[in-house]
Amino acid sequence: MAVSLTAKFPRVTLAHAPTPLEPMPHLSRLLGGPKLYVKRDDCTGLFLGGNKARQLEYYFGAALAEGADTVLTTGAVQSNHARQTAAAARKLGLGCEIQLENRVSGMAPEYYNLSGNVLLYRLLGVPIHTYPVGEDEEGADAQLEGIAAGIRDRGGKPYIIPLAARHPPLGALGYVDAMAETLEQARAQKIEIDAIVLPTGSAATHAGTLAGLRALGSRTKVFGICIRRNAALQSERVLARTRAAAKLLGTEHTIGNADVWVTDDYLGPGYGLPTPGMMEATELAAQTEALLVDPVYTGKAMAGLIGLVRKGHFKPSDTVVFLHTGGIPSLFGYQAVFGHEPVRP
Ligand SMILES: *Cc1c(COP(=O)(O)O)cnc(C)c1O
């Protein structure tokens, strides 16, 4: 659903939307906190769901508008973004090549480098390139440029979905649409959303959510749970990305420094590295609401939601929405972390 705010940007439909906005009564009761809801963007379809389906609607819109025939992108080994990019390319009949970065170390390779999203890339049949260091966004993008040059030499027309934050945040537009959708659902369900809690990584989701809410006249607070960078770096990034997203919409005046709130209390040792809080949150979400979260993003964000409720951050009368950004396949890449014994009938 493109709303009038985003209507001028080329877009293709990829996400199954609207996704449900559901209450989490058991988790709310267990925590004795505010009224908790979940916006189910793990249910966007496109090869097992997630937030990239909405973001990719605008990248593929731009790629098709430019006449591209092959889409390139980069991500961690267990990248939901690379998975959904490859799936979108297949669905639209385009070529796709992905680049996987060595961002996470110490994982059991029989799961991390073979199962989860890696299995899904293989089923989609896209060529896989590798990149050694994960913290170097410009370097990862530069290697994509090299691959693109090879494709051009062979007469193809590549389109790169870049990683570095200096590019216009087209993906954020998908979360402007998602906020229009969510506010409409809230009206229909007769609830008022006081706060949204989400994982914040590249910050496209965070930026689109915040820029979208403010452009739509909503003062709902947005709490970002860091999953990659510390709070100082991430808040800078979120502010810049939100301003850039609002600039695309022509609503830059609606964004102030005070709109940005992030915490790195739930990040643990770093991107993709498990924490006790993530593991507790994963089991709690499953056992209270039959809600599946992932170890990299939504498990830490859920640990953040639980932590904020326990610290008394919200009033009991508040309505708080957890934005579930998906990521489910990577759970199977992290199976060893949970350390369960095999069942042997
Ligand atoms: C990519 C991703 C995020 C982070 O979204 P950004 O827009 O990069 O901040 C969160 N959750 C999941 C499951 C993701 O795959």
Side-chain angles (χ1 to χ4, degrees):
M1 179 187 68
V3 293
S4 54
L5 281 166
T6 53
K8 69 177 176 192
F9 298 93
R11 170 182 167 270
V12 292
T13 298
L14 293 170
H16 294 174
T19 58
L21 175 65
E22 297 175 338
M24 297 196 285
H26 308 294
L27 186 61
S28 305
R29 203 172 309 126
L30 184 83
L31 297 174
K35 285 167 270 185
L36 301 177
Y37 283 71
V38 55
K39 173 66 173 165
R40 296 293 305 271
D41 270 15
D42 55 323
C43 301
T44 55
L46 200 66
F47 232 59
L48 286 181
N51 60 345
K52 302 314 180 308
R54 291 191 196 264
Q55 298 186 12
L56 290 169
E57 292 191 337
Y58 290 93
Y59 283 111
F60 277 84
L64 290 179
E66 285 180 18
D69 58 18
T70 308
V71 175
L72 306 178
T73 202
T74 187
V77 170
Q78 287 290 340
S79 171
N80 304 304
H81 169 66
R83 164 185 36 103
Q84 291 204 295
T85 299
R90 288 300 183 230
K91 222 170 143 63
L92 296 168
L94 300 175
C96 177
E97 300 190 19
I98 61 174
Q99 172 176 291
L100 303 179
E101 306 156 18
N102 188 17
R103 247 187 236 175
V104 184
S105 50
M107 293 295 123
E110 67 274 29
Y111 299 110
Y112 189 79
N113 297 61
L114 202 54
S115 186
N117 283 304
V118 177
L119 171 63
L120 303 183
Y121 314 141
R122 295 267 161 77
L123 296 178
L124 289 161
V126 295
I128 296 175
H129 305 269
T130 56
Y131 188 78
V133 199
E135 290 306 325
D136 170 17
E137 297 191 324
E138 295 291 346
D141 284 349
Q143 185 172 292
L144 285 183
E145 288 292 348
I147 299 165
I151 292 172
R152 261 181 232 112
D153 287 346
R154 297 191 296 274
K157 286 202 75 178
Y159 179 90
I160 294 178
I161 303 174
L163 191 60
R166 63 189 163 79
H167 302 280
L170 284 185
L173 298 171
Y175 275 84
V176 176
D177 295 342
M179 287 305 106
E181 182 183 303
T182 305
L183 293 178
E184 197 180 302
Q185 288 172 315
R187 272 192 294 278
Q189 296 182 29
K190 300 189 167 40
I191 56 174
E192 262 189 52
I193 303 172
D194 297 291
I196 294 179
V197 175
L198 47 70
T200 182
S202 79
T205 304
H206 196 158
T209 297
L210 198 46
L213 287 169
R214 296 300 175 266
L216 293 160
S218 163
R219 301 304 308 162
T220 297
K221 294 191 186 100
V222 178
F223 295 96
I225 312 298
C226 295
I227 53 78
R228 181 151 187 201
R229 294 170 199 85
N230 68 33
L233 287 174
Q234 189 66 14
S235 57
E236 236 176 75
R237 186 180 179 104
V238 172
L239 184 58
R241 299 301 270 166
T242 305
R243 288 227 162 96
K247 195 168 170 197
L248 292 175
L249 304 176
T251 57
E252 240 181 320
H253 58 283
T254 63
I255 306 300
N257 294 12
D259 285 315
V260 174
W261 191 101
V262 302
T263 177
D264 57 13
D265 284 354
Y266 307 91
L267 172 61
Y271 177 85
L273 297 172
T275 63
M278 175 279 286
M279 295 182 59
E280 187 213 359
T282 303
E283 291 180 357
L284 212 53
Q287 292 168 19
T288 56
E289 300 293 344
L291 191 73
L292 203 48
V293 295
D294 82 287
V296 182
Y297 299 98
T298 51
K300 288 183 180 177
M302 180 58 80
L305 173 67
I306 293 168
L308 291 177
V309 171
R310 284 180 178 154
K311 283 184 194 159
H313 206 85
F314 305 110
K315 295 197 292 282
S317 57
D318 281 350
T319 295
V320 179
V321 172
F322 179 71
L323 178 56
H324 195 320
T325 49
I328 304 310
S330 80
L331 180 62
F332 302 96
Y334 280 78
Q335 211 169 309
V337 168
F338 289 85
H340 298 134
E341 288 296 315
V343 174
R344 298 189 196 283

